Amino acid sequence: MKFKINNISVITDGEQSSKAMVFIHGFPYDHSMWKKQIDFFSKSYYCISYDVRGFGESDNFDGQHTMEMFVDDLEMVIDEMNLNKPVICGLSMGGYIALRAIERFQTKLSAAILCNTRSQADDNAGRLKRALAIKRINTEGHKNFVKEFITNCFGDYFKVNFNEELQSIIEHSQNFNPKAIKGALLAMLSRTDTTSILETIEIPVLLICGENDNLTPPQVMKEMFHKIKNSEFYEIPLAGHLAPIENHSEVNSAIQKFLKKINY
Ligand code: MLT
């Protein structure tokens, strides 16, 4: 089912009576990046995916976005749908949203799955890189930026063996509003650092990282794993920054084992 809550596009799959999982996509994608997980988990869970404001079919509002607004939207989806302590699953930017959501309202959640993400905020070099990207989009449009950014996220194995799929992901993302891309860059550039809350996380957390992720390398996620008391870490072979797409069977099996272990 597809519907809108306050202009945020929400998609549900599976039985409403089942336990809920909420999927939060990365940048610059939309809910469809979770297709392989939703096809698999909707057999046993009520899967909710949504488009972060500006992306997919969600409204871009005024294009001036903050991480807090992204987290407000997630909380609104959980509250408006009366979800009973869902498991949230976020990739990269979706992981930033999930981490800040944990900081703000972990009592509303059963567990979190953090894929290819980090708790640190951008450093100065990272902020300047995003500022440069915005400048580039203003001068030459967003299509080349989107193409280069996405290509750089995927590992060599996927690029060589699934090039057609990669090109269709790029084309899909090139259709997004450039103002949404810039709005998300600003939201990520100005997000807070959530490293200090890792030791206060009480809910179980699964950390997933592609072995060839050069944006959030395994070492970065292992450090998070050491700080979160009730956590597990999985390194996914033959995958870069988009592990759930690049090696969905390994990712699905890691998630399935985790859900079983936490009795969800
Ligand atoms: C993502 O995949 O969401 C992005 O790589 C996040 C970022 O640019 O920090």
Side-chain angles (χ1 to χ4, degrees):
M1 239 169 82
K2 194 198 269 191
F3 49 89
K4 286 204 171 166
I5 309 178
N6 293 335
N7 292 320
I8 295 296
S9 176
V10 180
I11 301 92
T12 63
D13 291 273
E15 292 293 326
Q16 198 175 347
S17 55
S18 305
K19 289 179 177 174
M21 295 177 78
V22 181
F23 293 87
I24 317 157
H25 64 81
F27 168 90
Y29 310 97
D30 65 11
H31 75 279
S32 63
M33 65 148 284
W34 294 111
K35 184 179 181 327
K36 298 274 172 47
Q37 283 65 47
I38 289 169
D39 285 350
F40 185 83
F41 286 103
S42 60
K43 291 177 197 135
S44 347
Y45 293 92
Y46 184 42
C47 292
I48 297 100
S49 54
Y50 70 98
D51 294 331
V52 171
R53 55 173 63 208
F55 294 91
E57 292 181 25
S58 285
D59 203 279
N60 194 35
F61 301 88
D62 66 357
Q64 312 282 303
H65 303 155
T66 64
M67 192 55 62
E68 286 311 277
M69 290 175 193
F70 290 167
V71 180
D72 290 344
D73 290 339
L74 169 64
E75 189 174 23
M76 178 200 70
V77 168
I78 294 173
D79 289 347
E80 292 290 317
M81 293 182 72
N82 283 320
L83 301 177
N84 181 22
K85 291 198 167 210
V87 167
I88 56 172
C89 176
L91 177 127
S92 199
M93 178 181 79
Y96 309 153
I97 297 171
L99 279 161
R100 177 69 182 134
I102 294 170
E103 183 175 10
R104 278 177 41 179
F105 49 83
Q106 65 173 318
T107 53
K108 287 187 182 180
L109 310 171
S110 283
I113 300 160
L114 303 174
C115 305
N116 306 78
T117 195
R118 64 169 77 235
S119 57
Q120 292 94 354
D122 285 3
D123 60 12
N124 283 351
R127 288 184 177 149
L128 291 172
K129 207 168 158 192
R130 299 216 201 262
L132 205 60
I134 292 170
K135 195 170 171 180
R136 178 179 177 195
I137 294 169
N138 283 340
T139 52
E140 64 171 64
H142 66 298
K143 297 207 169 170
N144 285 338
F145 166 75
V146 165
K147 184 178 174 148
E148 281 168 29
F149 189 92
I150 294 180
T151 306
N152 185 41
C153 286
F154 282 82
D156 289 342
Y157 181 81
F158 192 83
K159 279 192 231 180
V160 171
N161 294 289
F162 297 92
N163 187 45
E164 219 171 288
E165 191 176 339
L166 176 60
Q167 296 315 315
S168 89
I169 293 168
I170 292 170
E171 275 166 35
H172 184 71
S173 292
Q174 282 175 328
N175 288 325
F176 297 145
N177 185 338
K179 287 185 182 153
I181 310 263
K182 292 193 287 179
L185 285 166
L186 284 171
M188 290 192 287
L189 180 161
S190 57
R191 75 188 189 276
T192 55
D193 193 306
T194 50
T195 309
S196 64
I197 66 113
L198 297 177
E199 283 163 6
T200 71
I201 298 180
E202 300 294 338
I203 57 172
V205 175
L206 171 64
L207 298 144
I208 288 179
C209 189
E211 66 174 347
N212 301 314
D213 184 343
N214 49 28
L215 278 84
T216 50
Q219 193 47 41
V220 166
M221 295 201 72
K222 270 189 208 152
E223 281 163 25
M224 292 169 72
F225 161 61
H226 291 308
K227 289 187 175 141
I228 305 174
K229 43 184 170 287
N230 192 1
S231 66
E232 286 184 36
F233 174 76
Y234 263 79
E235 193 168 306
I236 306 293
L238 301 177
H241 189 59
L242 270 297
I245 296 177
E246 294 174 80
N247 194 344
H248 55 90
S249 54
E250 285 280 340
V251 168
N252 291 353
S253 125
I255 295 176
Q256 193 177 34
K257 277 190 212 140
F258 171 73
L259 294 174
K260 194 168 173 211
K261 191 168 168 204
I262 65 166
N263 204 16
Y264 190 77

